[in-house]
Amino acid sequence: MAANCERTFIAIKPDGVQRGLVGEIIKRFEQKGFRLVAMKLVHASEDLLQNSHYIDLKDRPFYPGLVKYMNSGPVVAMVWEGLNVVKTGRVMLGETNPADSKPGTIRCDFLQFKVGRNIIHTASDSVESAQKRRSLWFKPAELVDYKSCAHDWIYE
Ligand code: IDP
Ligand code: MG
């Protein structure tokens, strides 16, 4: 796959949706020049959250609270594409703990300090984990292929 076709999974968590930050967050990814490949508003099931999405965190003390938080309302699940989008998406989000996030990042600009309410998710450690996470939320047919008219202006 071409480097500028890298894809990542991003989700705006229930607090981000309830606080009306969906447009602001999408705007940042659009302005950066990433291409929106898929998006849906979904109330994630406990089964998806517990047994798939957050399975790696199941032994952590905050796991039950995390599942409850993510299941407390709708989330906006998205797939974004572009050069280094996995790593850059992580930088745009900021640190897990909003208090450690730098100005200009989503978790710094829209949050005070609570790690348990950090408005946005990314599967950020690798392209492979992003792909694995994406396939839990989207069927292949839901990923939309089109060429952005800005593509050649962004990538030369
Ligand atoms: P990340 O979302 O920045 O990748 P992870 O360590 O993968 O962070 O943790 C997943 C999610 O679990 C975090 O986004 C946050 O919602 C929650 N979480 C992580 N650490 C804590 C904690 O110490 N207390 C409460 N929730 C936490
Ligand atoms: Mg993580």
Side-chain angles (χ1 to χ4, degrees), residues 13 54 57 60 62 66 69 90 93-97 107 115-118 120-122 124:
K13 297 180 178 183
Y54 280 134
L57 298 173
R60 305 298 294 274
F62 56 83
L66 174 62
Y69 157 50
R90 178 73 196 190
L93 258 66
E95 301 301 320
T96 306
N97 187 343
R107 284 173 174 166
V115 69
R117 295 287 180 273
N118 60 1
I120 186 160
H121 166 86
T122 182
S124 57

Side-chain angles (χ1 to χ4, degrees), residues 7 29 39 45-46 67 72 130 137-138 149:
R7 289 177 175 177
F29 281 84
M39 177 165 72
S45 68
E46 271 188 50
V67 171
S72 67
W137 292 78
F138 290 100
C149 65

Side-chain angles (χ1 to χ4, degrees), residues 61-81:
F62 56 83
Y63 177 73
L66 174 62
V67 171
K68 196 170 165 202
Y69 157 50
M70 286 293 282
N71 180 245
S72 67
V75 305
V76 174
M78 299 176 282
V79 177
W80 288 92
E81 180 184 271

Side-chain angles (χ1 to χ4, degrees), residues 131-144:
Q131 189 171 357
K132 199 173 134 199
R133 210 53 66 89
R134 185 179 86 213
S135 66
L136 300 174
W137 292 78
F138 290 100
K139 300 185 191 90
E142 293 176 306
L143 307 178
V144 183

Side-chain angles (χ1 to χ4, degrees), residues 1-144:
M1 191 184 273
N4 46 14
C5 292
E6 186 174 299
R7 289 177 175 177
T8 198
F9 174 75
I10 300 281
I12 304 173
K13 297 180 178 183
D15 50 338
V17 174
Q18 295 289 355
R19 291 182 50 204
L21 296 173
V22 171
E24 186 60 45
I25 290 169
I26 290 174
K27 187 174 101 179
R28 290 183 176 215
F29 281 84
E30 286 183 323
Q31 285 181 336
K32 186 76 181 163
F34 293 131
R35 182 176 82 83
L36 183 61
V37 174
M39 177 165 72
K40 60 182 163 192
L41 180 73
V42 54
H43 196 139
S45 68
E46 271 188 50
D47 181 48
L48 170 67
L49 296 166
Q50 256 172 351
N51 301 322
S52 308
H53 182 78
Y54 280 134
I55 189 78
D56 301 345
L57 298 173
K58 69 177 187 329
D59 297 326
R60 305 298 294 274
F62 56 83
Y63 177 73
L66 174 62
V67 171
K68 196 170 165 202
Y69 157 50
M70 286 293 282
N71 180 245
S72 67
V75 305
V76 174
M78 299 176 282
V79 177
W80 288 92
E81 180 184 271
L83 187 65
N84 285 327
V85 70
V86 171
K87 191 170 165 218
T88 306
R90 178 73 196 190
V91 173
M92 290 166 67
L93 258 66
E95 301 301 320
T96 306
N97 187 343
D100 299 330
S101 298
K102 294 199 167 58
T105 64
I106 291 166
R107 284 173 174 166
C108 175
D109 293 354
F110 302 118
L111 292 166
Q112 294 293 326
F113 58 89
K114 291 197 173 173
V115 69
R117 295 287 180 273
N118 60 1
I119 66 172
I120 186 160
H121 166 86
T122 182
S124 57
D125 22 6
S126 68
V127 174
E128 292 70 33
S129 77
Q131 189 171 357
K132 199 173 134 199
R133 210 53 66 89
R134 185 179 86 213
S135 66
L136 300 174
W137 292 78
F138 290 100
K139 300 185 191 90
E142 293 176 306
L143 307 178
V144 183

